Amino acid sequence: MSSMELNKILNSEQLLGVTTTEGPVLILAGAGSGKTRVLTHRVAYLIEQGVEPYNIMAITFTNKAAAEMRERVDNLVGHGAGQVWVATFHSTCVRILRQFADRIGYDTNFSIYDADDSKTLMKEVCKHLNIDTKKIKEKRILGVISSAKDEMINEEEFAARNQGEFMMQSYISAYREYQSRLRANNAFDFDDLILKTVELLKQEPEVLNYYQNRFRYIMVDEYQDTNTVQFELVRLLASSHENLCVVGDDDQSIYKFRGANIYNILNFEQHFPNATVIKLEQNYRSTKRILYGANAVIKNNEGRKEKALWTENDEGEKIRFRQFDSAYEEAEFIAMDARSQKRRGNFDFKDSAVLYRTNAQSRILEEKFLNENIPYKIVGGVNFYSRKEVKDILAYLKTVDNGDDDLAVQRIINVPKRGIGATSLGKVSTYARKNEMSFYAALLEASEITTLGKAAGKIVPFVTFIEDLKKKSQDLTVPEIIREILNGTGYVEELEADGSDEAIARIENIDELVNKAVIYQEEGENPTLSGFLEEVALIADIDSVDEDEDYVVLMTLHSAKGLEFENVYMAGMEDGLFPSFMTIAGDDESELEEERRLCYVGITRAKQQLTMTAAKTRMVRGEWQYGAISRFVKELPSEIIDGSLWEGKSRDFAATPFDEPVKTFAQRKKEATKPTAASSYAAKMKEMKEKTAGTRIQKNALDYGEGDRVSHQKFGEGVVKKIADGGRDYEVTVEFERVGVKKMFASFAKLVKC
């Protein structure tokens, strides 16, 4: 594709980003500025200029983004596009380790541990080391280890750095034992995938040289989200030819809590002094008013590269702001407005998204959407691959693929129940440790473990079944292996015998896993059991959003990154919630700037309409708390705000006037002698808390009892089977005529006695 042809479909800055191919390039791509178009056309342009597709690499963060880029590259390039390496950071490292993991002491058929697997392993570690998990939670230990790995600090360096710190001794021993067990299980956790790849490239010059020669042109998307170890991976691969093009937006750096290092993008020119910097500021997504608001908010950040989004799109509607008395009324408005937009033909449900700061906010929203019978989907809930029945079948597949994976073996040895007790399993574990072998290898020698006695006879059928599967797997497809597991274990038959709604749903999930395996088998380049497990392990929640289904999406602001919607609701716009009270009360301005970037991300998800909502009161841990309107809302220019009344249920919910001038951080520093916003807010919160102390949820007496016939708005009529006192509310079990047995809280169910 020639420059003349590109000139017809790209703006001048996009064209510069595509055609500047030699040397390091930083493309600062504002929200909705067409960065994916630039990256994909850059690939096509390189191939047009004679670069072999095999020598081009494009890295991104999510499977969704990688799939979109792959599809666009295929459409643009056609023949030879398959040789371009388009993948996420993690899948890139998996591919490298599958070839060369043996160079650093692992077998190439290693397992990949997800968050649940890591937590299970850490529980075993803490038990073995006698770490009191009431004082130090497993999640906290895993978080410390993950942060260390992000900074390329292995267990030995971690121990050396914290040698004199008494409080860190448990973390040191846990990190060492955790890594020891991962290695023994021939497994990597997600952080290891990148860290171990970096270690491989540093330790093996031959391997590094191979990939440097292969990847002569490297592109990295969402560069502002990279952490230290990801930066090092990119630096190593690009250090030979330095044809590195990174695309990102420092104003959208919102993953500091995951280890993202914003200075990777802010200091790019320091790392690569001869870098070319290109700014993409024309937005193709949002209206003028939405962008005006986004620019007004983000300009209050000092730690950023100067740029301002602009668009040729329509001026659009004003940004709507509504403040309500309570979070319940806020949620009710959002649900009713989404329905109204659908009824008036403005936006389908799938065009709308509700964004919030914390997952806890979703509960009330979900209840209101249920009450209004509005289809919705929560992104960030229980991932399909985290459901028990799915993890059980995957554990069988992992055991067949890699018998050294102790977690997988231990998960399924009694699934279905085989009568092998915890005592017997403990004896097998002791034997395995004593003989320095895996748990499964010890099971193979069960007849020789004298302390097992008759229990050995219960273990032998399990081992025989797995060994038979291992032999068959050489000739079977992945779906066929799954069916062998289901037939051999009677897993589905047990669920069918149960017959409950939950059991039926679990069977449907297993069927969906088989569907996934069939699709993988049909579409995979070289389908293998290892490849299937690898693909499943790398799937994220956000990849499950189906853009063809007509439902409203509910998600956190962090989850919304990279997405766009015609109609966006930003809920909970209150100081103390967004930004959080800890951020306001703290003295680290960078934390507040990150929160502001998150607000900027939320605003720029909207294409046509943006609505911000806040509640004067919100219940937190059973107590009513009062919140002022978020400072981010007050940073919006008043001329683009629609703060008119919303009338409903005979009440008016008035917006707060925008008469308070916006102050930048520099202005606030000059007024340091005056009471700060944080201190005045903290004082107000303390006063309100004292006033509302003791104001908790009141349990209302029920006008029905067990055996009574009741009616539910959605499920129809049924009979109350059981009423349990759940502390703050009653848990009611009802057998409905149409939908069977349901458990629900009385205050939310609103059952009416017939």
Side-chain angles (χ1 to χ4, degrees):
M1 189 174 292
S2 67
S3 299
M4 189 171 293
E5 291 174 307
L6 288 170
N7 197 41
K8 297 176 182 178
I9 57 177
L10 302 175
N11 65 41
S12 58
E13 295 303 309
Q14 289 175 334
L15 180 62
L16 190 60
V18 167
T19 57
T20 307
T21 59
E22 304 305 305
V25 178
L26 169 61
I27 300 178
L28 292 171
S33 61
K35 65 182 179 62
T36 305
R37 168 178 285 200
V38 171
L39 282 172
T40 51
H41 279 84
R42 184 182 173 90
V43 172
Y45 182 77
L46 283 167
I47 295 173
E48 180 73 22
Q49 297 302 305
V51 177
E52 292 294 329
Y54 182 79
N55 294 135
I56 302 171
M57 177 190 213
I59 308 178
T60 187
F61 274 82
T62 68
N63 294 303
K64 181 183 177 70
E68 181 183 353
M69 191 181 298
R70 164 59 67 193
E71 183 179 359
R72 291 202 197 183
V73 168
D74 289 347
N75 291 337
L76 280 173
V77 176
H79 180 70
Q83 295 183 55
V84 179
W85 186 305
V86 181
T88 65
F89 271 101
H90 287 100
S91 56
T92 291
C93 292
V94 169
R95 288 170 69 175
I96 293 173
L97 290 170
R98 286 290 182 211
Q99 274 197 281
F100 297 106
D102 55 335
R103 302 283 188 100
I104 54 173
Y106 290 82
D107 290 337
T108 53
N109 66 329
F110 53 82
S111 293
I112 302 170
Y113 279 9
D114 62 16
D116 286 342
D117 295 330
S118 294
K119 187 175 180 180
T120 300
L121 183 60
M122 185 52 70
K123 282 183 178 179
E124 294 179 4
V125 167
C126 290
K127 185 177 180 181
H128 175 69
L129 297 174
N130 294 317
I131 294 174
D132 187 351
T133 52
K134 291 181 180 179
K135 294 181 179 178
I136 309 176
K137 298 290 185 184
E138 297 97 334
K139 187 177 180 180
R140 171 61 182 159
I141 299 173
L142 286 169
V144 170
I145 292 173
S146 178
S147 296
K149 290 180 178 180
D150 285 348
E151 295 299 319
M152 298 188 297
I153 302 170
N154 63 26
E155 62 270 35
E156 296 308 321
E157 186 177 348
F158 183 80
R161 290 190 179 196
N162 297 282
Q163 190 173 11
E165 299 290 336
F166 175 77
M167 299 297 292
M168 297 299 294
Q169 297 311 301
S170 293
Y171 295 97
I172 291 171
S173 55
Y175 192 176
R176 279 176 167 157
E177 182 66 18
Y178 176 73
Q179 288 304 119
S180 175
R181 295 195 178 209
L182 279 174
R183 185 178 288 273
N185 292 357
N186 191 37
F188 295 116
D189 66 14
F190 263 46
D191 297 311
D192 274 335
L193 291 176
I194 303 178
L195 178 61
K196 294 299 179 182
T197 302
V198 168
E199 289 180 3
L200 167 69
L201 296 177
K202 286 185 173 182
Q203 293 174 20
E204 299 291 328
E206 181 185 348
V207 176
L208 176 60
N209 186 59
Y210 167 78
Y211 283 110
Q212 285 177 338
N213 284 330
R214 173 170 181 180
F215 302 130
R216 295 170 181 264
Y217 292 85
I218 299 174
M219 284 159 279
V220 183
D221 193 11
E222 304 288 5
Y223 190 67
Q224 77 282 346
D225 294 335
T226 55
N227 58 30
T228 301
V229 70
Q230 289 165 339
F231 166 79
E232 184 63 10
L233 174 69
V234 171
R235 188 195 67 79
L236 285 167
L237 293 174
S239 58
S240 179
H241 299 281
E242 285 203 349
N243 294 324
L244 171 64
C245 174
V246 301
V247 183
D249 181 6
D250 53 298
D251 288 335
Q252 296 185 71
S253 179
I254 59 173
Y255 294 122
K256 183 180 179 181
F257 69 99
R258 292 183 188 170
N261 186 350
I262 192 173
Y263 293 104
N264 286 347
I265 191 167
L266 292 179
N267 297 338
F268 185 81
E269 297 100 309
Q270 295 179 25
H271 297 300
F272 302 94
N274 58 333
T276 301
V277 179
I278 301 166
K279 294 181 181 181
L280 305 184
E281 296 173 294
Q282 183 175 358
N283 177 282
Y284 294 90
R285 175 189 299 159
S286 306
T287 63
K288 285 184 171 69
R289 278 177 168 149
I290 289 173
L291 290 186
Y292 186 37
N295 287 333
V297 170
I298 200 63
K299 74 178 182 181
N300 290 280
N301 275 5
E302 289 194 332
R304 63 186 292 263
K305 289 181 177 290
E306 189 61 37
K307 55 189 171 300
L309 294 179
W310 62 276
T311 185
E312 294 179 349
N313 292 342
D314 294 338
E315 187 172 359
E317 301 295 324
K318 289 185 176 183
I319 297 173
R320 302 191 301 168
F321 173 70
R322 305 287 186 271
Q323 185 185 31
F324 303 95
D325 283 344
S326 71
Y328 291 94
E329 291 165 350
E330 175 193 44
E332 185 175 46
F333 162 73
I334 292 172
M336 292 176 68
D337 192 70
R339 175 177 291 288
S340 175
Q341 299 291 347
K342 166 85 170 180
R343 187 173 57 248
R344 287 182 287 168
N346 294 339
F347 304 110
D348 286 335
F349 289 135
K350 67 181 178 182
D351 296 326
S352 298
V354 186
L355 311 182
Y356 37 81
R357 181 63 183 85
T358 67
N359 276 309
Q361 292 170 253
S362 69
R363 181 184 64 81
I364 298 174
L365 289 161
E366 189 174 3
E367 288 162 12
K368 295 301 180 184
F369 273 70
L370 280 170
N371 289 342
E372 295 297 323
N373 201 26
I374 298 173
Y376 70 92
K377 178 171 183 177
I378 293 182
V379 175
V382 178
N383 184 289
F384 175 80
Y385 296 99
S386 296
R387 293 167 186 168
K388 180 184 182 304
E389 59 278 6
V390 176
K391 286 188 73 71
D392 285 344
I393 305 306
L394 291 176
Y396 268 102
L397 294 175
K398 288 179 180 179
T399 301
V400 172
D401 186 55
N402 172 21
D404 289 338
D405 189 342
D406 287 359
L407 286 187
V409 179
Q410 289 168 0
R411 181 183 181 93
I412 60 170
I413 192 166
N414 265 320
V415 178
K417 293 179 181 178
R418 297 184 173 90
I420 307 170
T423 303
S424 298
L425 295 178
K427 291 174 181 177
V428 175
S429 294
T430 301
Y431 181 85
R433 285 197 300 272
K434 184 178 178 181
N435 292 278
E436 297 184 346
M437 61 174 60
S438 71
F439 184 81
Y440 183 74
L443 290 176
L444 289 170
E445 298 180 8
S447 58
E448 298 178 23
I449 305 175
T450 55
T451 55
L452 277 177
K454 294 181 180 179
K458 298 177 181 179
I459 292 173
V460 170
F462 169 74
V463 172
T464 302
F465 176 59
I466 296 298
E467 288 298 299
D468 186 47
L469 281 173
K470 284 177 178 283
K471 291 176 184 176
K472 289 181 178 179
S473 68
Q474 304 301 316
D475 303 312
L476 297 178
T477 64
V478 177
E480 288 170 343
I481 298 171
I482 294 175
R483 292 190 181 101
E484 285 285 328
I485 291 168
L486 297 175
N487 293 335
T489 60
Y491 197 104
V492 172
E493 283 83 348
E494 272 196 12
L495 293 172
E496 287 174 340
D498 183 319
S500 66
D501 288 347
E502 182 183 353
I504 293 170
R506 292 175 65 189
I507 292 172
E508 291 172 350
N509 288 336
I510 292 172
D511 290 341
E512 187 59 32
L513 180 64
V514 175
N515 294 342
K516 166 67 181 175
V518 170
I519 292 171
Y520 168 78
Q521 195 71 38
E522 291 176 351
E523 298 182 358
E525 199 168 315
N526 293 299
T528 63
L529 178 55
S530 294
F532 176 73
L533 291 170
E534 174 186 311
E535 182 170 309
V536 164
L538 297 174
I539 289 177
D541 284 351
I542 197 64
D543 297 325
S544 66
V545 175
D546 188 341
E547 295 174 358
D548 296 325
E549 292 290 328
D550 193 25
Y551 51 67
V552 179
V553 175
L554 277 60
M555 65 173 74
T556 64
L557 285 151
H558 282 100
S559 297
K561 176 90 171 356
L563 302 179
E564 58 183 42
F565 302 91
E566 299 291 334
N567 180 36
V568 169
Y569 301 91
M570 291 176 66
M573 299 300 294
E574 304 134 36
D575 269 3
L577 183 58
F578 188 36
S580 69
F581 175 71
M582 292 296 291
T583 301
I584 296 168
D587 57 2
D588 186 352
E589 186 67 21
S590 69
E591 296 290 339
L592 183 60
E593 293 207 349
E594 173 123 350
E595 290 280 284
R596 187 175 283 109
R597 290 195 293 270
L598 187 58
C599 182
Y600 173 82
V601 166
I603 294 171
T604 53
R605 297 313 93 195
K607 298 173 70 176
Q608 296 295 327
Q609 181 169 283
L610 173 64
T611 305
M612 292 181 167
T613 60
K616 293 178 182 177
T617 60
R618 191 177 297 274
M619 187 162 282
V620 180
R621 302 183 191 90
E623 296 183 359
W624 289 104
Q625 291 190 1
Y626 293 76
I629 295 172
S630 171
R631 62 197 59 207
F632 300 149
V633 175
K634 294 179 180 180
E635 289 172 355
L636 293 167
S638 58
E639 63 267 25
I640 64 167
I641 295 296
D642 168 13
S644 61
L645 301 179
W646 173 71
E647 298 181 7
K649 298 201 172 181
S650 72
R651 296 189 64 184
D652 291 341
F653 302 95
T656 298
F658 293 82
D659 54 3
E660 183 178 329
V662 177
K663 296 176 183 177
T664 65
F665 178 52
Q667 290 171 320
R668 292 199 303 276
K669 282 197 293 187
K670 292 179 181 178
E671 300 177 357
T673 56
K674 299 179 181 180
T676 64
S679 63
S680 60
Y681 178 80
K684 182 178 179 182
M685 289 296 293
K686 183 179 180 182
E687 178 187 347
M688 291 300 181
K689 191 169 183 180
E690 289 171 353
K691 286 181 180 179
T692 58
T695 307
R696 293 184 176 273
I697 301 171
Q698 297 297 315
K699 230 172 12 181
N700 297 319
L702 303 179
D703 60 357
Y704 53 83
E706 294 180 1
D708 285 344
R709 191 168 186 79
V710 295
S711 174
H712 184 272
Q713 181 178 343
K714 180 179 179 183
F715 303 135
E717 293 188 3
V719 177
V720 178
K721 292 297 184 182
K722 184 180 179 182
I723 298 176
D725 191 340
R728 294 180 178 176
D729 202 354
Y730 293 104
E731 188 180 80
V732 185
T733 303
V734 183
E735 184 174 351
F736 291 100
E737 293 174 353
R738 289 192 294 105
V739 296
V741 178
K742 297 286 183 183
K743 284 185 180 181
M744 57 198 77
F745 286 111
S747 61
F748 303 138
K750 298 179 181 177
L751 298 170
V752 178
K753 187 176 179 180
C754 297

